[in-house]
Amino acid sequence: MQDKKLQVIPLGGLGEFGMNMMALRYGDDIIVIDAGMMFPESELLGVDIVTPDLTFLKEHRAGVRALLLTHGHEDHIGAVAFFLDEFDVPVYGTPFTLSLVERRLEEYDIAGVALKPAKPRDIVEIGPFKVEFIHVTHSIVSAVALAITTPLGVVIHTGDYKVDPTPTDNELFDLHTLADYGKRGVLLLLSDSTNADRPGYSDSERAVRPRLEDVFNRAENRLFVSCFSSSIHRLQQILDLSAEFGRKVALVGRSMVSVTEIAHRHGLLEIPDNILIRPQDAMDAKASKVTVLISGTQGEPMSALSRVAVDNHKHISIHPGDTVVLSSRIIPGNEKTIFRMIDHISKRGADVMYGSMNPPLHVSGHGSMEELRLVLNLVRPRYFVPIHGEYRQLSKHVRLASHLHGIGLEETFILETGDVLEFDDKGGRRAGRVTVGRVCIDSGAVGEVVGDMVIRDRRVISEDGIVLPIIAINKHTGRIEASPEIVSRGFALDSDAEFMRSAREAVSRTLEASSNEEKGDIGLIKEKIRADLKRFINKETQRRPLIMPVILEI
């Protein structure tokens, strides 16, 4: 590749929600922005998380210089452990974000990583790139945008943001620095599109307080509040209200406890004196004087709230007259598990509050149309690429930018994961694609990758079952020692004696038509049995179970 080219390559997060990862390449030097994961769709059976395919970065391994993190949500840091398992490079982020990463690295037993804390307004130099961290407001604290100065111009990556005029920590979005870059000239703006189809402005985090105050006023017994453990602003409001209403607070759930500790350590969460009690003491305290802050808003099967909902938690239980508040959005795809959990809680006699209300129980952490337009107007880039969202959000965001054409904006590009956008001194253009995809991972050690074949087999088994033809063959003579047996699981016709007899006969015919030499080749005879039995079952039933012949050599 010629020296004077800058390439912008999304490796995840464009045209999809989650798995956010972007590579910037100048000459042979590459920096990577974010390494996120996504939770699997229902058809990815037995898969716990999905991460971006790192093939492109592996092909240019020598050029990868650093990983830069915009904030600590899982869709931006969830794949950091898998990335660092492949690349020994420094990781830059705010101290809070790096502490969340450290927690993940400990889980995966990864040590010796160079974590480089950077505060807003800090500038770091990495090869030909000069990166300034810019404070933005979002639903998690310590979120930043990145202004990356390259030899061809400035690239601004917003990360996730909303423009909150009244954040609970009074740390305002640094619009001045963005505007300064806009005045000096910005080559490319990469901007969050999550709420590009939502008109107006997103509510400030403070908009939640009136509803929470109302809940505290009305709650007569124990009050259970569940929110994302990373929503430090929300946790602060719940702690403050608990103190005002004379309630002790029990923190329940692994993520709730660990993230609260990290935020408190960094001075981002103030915990009133003597307010915390142990979960095991929460049930003995006076019911009207207890708040339980509990993780599990999305109904995750082993989360604390899911276990409490079915009365399967060692310390906490819900009693009639308790109030349960879900202060979070319902992530698309999780509706079924969340409503099942709410049903279980309701059966325990509790009053459950969730969903849209006015005033709200939850506000979005992403900017709506007017905030996206504000950032576009301040930055006034030559080129614009919407990021973080499905195609409909990206295309809406492009329309929001259309008024800038003719006053600085030369072109907008709707990229999808894998597209390459290339710049030189003549301008920007599409320049092909790189290998991208998703890696499916079962929980456990780094590297327990689930291949497409495994997922396909799991899907087949879940839909049509599994059939095991078992054949005993004399390994010296190649003779069949007994008539074939067929064992099946999850196969709808396994109780049909006539059909199973016909299936055994089909296997026998295959064996009779095979020579002793073929029977002596285990791999070959298995394949012949599989093919013939598959054809027979499909013809008779229109089903395609997973067929795994078992050859017993005796």
Side-chain angles (χ1 to χ4, degrees):
M1 181 178 123
Q2 293 175 12
D3 274 348
K4 296 290 182 184
K5 289 198 166 104
L6 171 70
Q7 289 185 330
V8 177
I9 308 161
L11 300 174
L14 270 73
E16 61 198 353
F17 278 121
M19 288 205 315
N20 296 296
M21 181 181 264
M22 176 81 70
L24 261 62
R25 183 183 186 199
Y26 184 83
D28 291 328
D29 293 291
I30 297 171
I31 55 172
V32 181
I33 301 169
D34 290 333
M37 53 154 274
M38 68 191 287
F39 291 107
E41 299 102 337
S42 56
E43 63 264 23
L44 294 177
L45 300 163
V47 172
D48 294 302
I49 61 171
V50 184
T51 64
D53 186 334
L54 302 177
T55 298
F56 168 76
L57 296 177
K58 290 176 189 173
E59 288 168 354
H60 302 89
R61 183 184 295 278
V64 179
R65 296 277 171 261
L67 174 63
L68 303 160
L69 302 174
T70 58
H71 66 282
H73 278 147
E74 290 295 315
D75 58 335
H76 292 259
I77 67 166
V80 169
F82 304 98
F83 174 87
L84 292 174
D85 199 43
E86 287 286 343
F87 303 96
D88 182 13
V89 296
V91 181
Y92 293 86
T94 60
F96 177 68
T97 301
L98 292 183
S99 291
L100 295 178
V101 167
E102 216 166 3
R103 181 174 67 115
R104 282 273 174 263
L105 298 182
E106 284 168 12
E107 283 177 23
Y108 287 111
D109 239 7
I110 294 176
V113 176
L115 299 176
K116 308 265 190 179
K119 300 187 303 296
R121 299 289 179 91
D122 282 357
I123 295 174
V124 298
E125 293 195 30
I126 306 162
F129 305 102
K130 191 186 288 183
V131 184
E132 180 170 5
F133 292 75
I134 302 170
H135 179 74
V136 300
T137 45
H138 184 39
S139 54
I140 191 172
V141 293
S142 294
V144 291
L146 304 172
I148 303 156
T149 303
T150 77
L152 285 170
V154 173
V155 176
I156 289 184
H157 186 297
T158 65
D160 284 352
Y161 72 92
K162 70 175 176 184
V163 183
D164 190 339
T166 57
T168 55
D169 58 2
N170 298 317
E171 293 283 335
L172 294 168
F173 191 124
D174 188 358
L175 294 170
H176 297 294
T177 300
L178 269 192
D180 283 346
Y181 275 103
K183 284 176 195 160
R184 296 201 296 267
V186 170
L187 173 69
L188 171 68
L189 172 65
L190 303 158
S191 182
D192 176 22
S193 308
T194 305
N195 278 350
D197 50 3
R198 186 186 286 187
Y201 295 87
S202 295
D203 286 331
S204 168
E205 180 62 33
R206 286 186 194 265
V208 178
R209 183 163 176 120
R211 172 60 66 190
L212 290 177
E213 277 183 0
D214 183 50
V215 169
F216 273 84
N217 266 317
R218 289 168 183 261
E220 294 176 0
N221 291 332
R222 279 182 201 83
L223 176 58
F224 292 78
V225 185
S226 188
C227 65
F228 296 117
S229 57
S230 59
S231 300
I232 304 302
H233 302 305
R234 192 78 42 84
L235 299 181
Q236 186 67 68
Q237 294 190 73
I238 294 159
L239 286 166
D240 291 346
L241 283 165
S242 295
E244 282 177 35
F245 283 83
R247 286 178 177 263
K248 298 288 188 183
V249 178
L251 301 173
V252 179
R254 198 160 56 103
S255 64
M256 188 65 76
V257 172
S258 64
V259 175
T260 303
E261 282 176 356
I262 290 167
H264 183 58
R265 193 170 74 233
H266 285 283
L268 299 167
L269 183 70
E270 285 184 32
I271 300 176
D273 291 342
N274 302 317
I275 198 171
L276 295 182
I277 58 171
R278 300 182 308 167
Q280 52 265 48
D281 297 333
M283 301 311 294
D284 296 329
K286 189 178 178 185
S288 61
K289 294 297 178 185
V290 174
T291 302
V292 178
L293 249 177
I294 187 166
S295 56
T297 63
Q298 301 302 303
E300 303 95 323
M302 291 309 292
S303 68
L305 188 56
S306 286
R307 283 183 285 135
V308 170
V310 294
D311 206 16
N312 185 30
H313 192 280
K314 61 183 174 182
H315 299 309
I316 303 292
S317 57
I318 293 173
H319 293 173
D322 289 346
T323 302
V324 179
V325 176
L326 301 185
S327 180
S328 62
R329 77 185 182 105
I330 294 175
I331 295 175
N334 292 349
E335 296 91 347
K336 202 170 181 180
T337 52
I338 292 171
F339 289 126
R340 189 187 300 127
M341 178 179 74
I342 290 170
D343 284 344
H344 285 305
I345 295 170
S346 300
K347 285 176 184 174
R348 316 221 89 74
D351 178 20
V352 192
M353 303 176 73
Y354 61 94
S356 299
M357 292 185 169
N358 192 19
L361 275 173
H362 174 70
V363 293
S364 176
H366 299 270
S368 298
M369 285 181 177
E370 294 307 318
E371 290 145 279
L372 304 187
R373 196 177 272 124
L374 172 62
V375 168
L376 281 161
N377 289 340
L378 289 176
V379 175
R380 293 182 173 241
R382 271 181 68 195
Y383 296 93
F384 170 57
V385 172
I387 57 173
H388 306 165
E390 294 181 336
Y391 201 92
R392 63 185 182 279
Q393 280 97 9
L394 305 182
S395 60
K396 288 265 189 190
H397 203 169
V398 160
R399 278 189 216 118
L400 285 178
S402 59
H403 70 287
L404 291 174
H405 281 290
I407 50 170
L409 183 65
E410 292 179 20
E411 199 169 350
T412 58
F413 297 93
I414 300 182
L415 301 183
E416 289 187 90
T417 296
D419 288 342
V420 178
L421 185 60
E422 190 171 87
F423 296 90
D424 55 22
D425 49 14
K426 297 184 183 65
R429 68 203 66 80
R430 293 174 187 273
R433 285 182 59 78
V434 302
T435 302
V436 290
R438 55 191 190 176
V439 177
C440 299
I441 295 168
D442 273 349
S443 62
V446 173
E448 281 193 29
V449 174
V450 185
D452 289 344
M453 187 84 78
V454 174
I455 290 165
R456 194 191 69 203
D457 286 349
R458 287 175 180 176
R459 195 174 302 133
V460 168
I461 293 169
S462 73
E463 290 169 359
D464 289 331
I466 182 168
V467 172
L468 304 171
I470 302 170
I471 301 101
I473 294 180
N474 187 307
K475 66 179 173 183
H476 300 298
T477 65
R479 202 171 71 242
I480 308 303
E481 292 294 332
S483 61
E485 284 296 321
I486 294 183
V487 175
S488 64
R489 290 290 181 272
F491 180 53
L493 292 165
D494 57 3
S495 59
D496 185 332
E498 183 58 33
F499 173 78
M500 296 306 279
R501 186 184 60 75
S502 299
R504 284 195 295 272
E505 286 174 1
V507 174
S508 295
R509 284 196 296 275
T510 301
L511 293 168
E512 286 163 12
S514 304
S515 66
N516 282 352
E517 193 176 1
E518 285 175 320
K519 291 173 194 167
D521 184 332
I522 299 297
L524 177 64
I525 198 65
K526 275 186 179 180
E527 201 48 54
K528 282 187 74 173
I529 292 167
R530 184 186 292 115
D532 289 353
L533 189 56
K534 180 179 173 183
R535 198 176 300 116
F536 169 79
I537 292 175
N538 190 243
K539 182 182 173 189
E540 295 294 321
T541 68
Q542 281 72 57
R543 294 189 176 280
R544 303 173 72 88
L546 186 69
I547 298 171
M548 296 184 66
V550 176
I551 306 294
L552 303 175
E553 289 188 291
I554 56 175

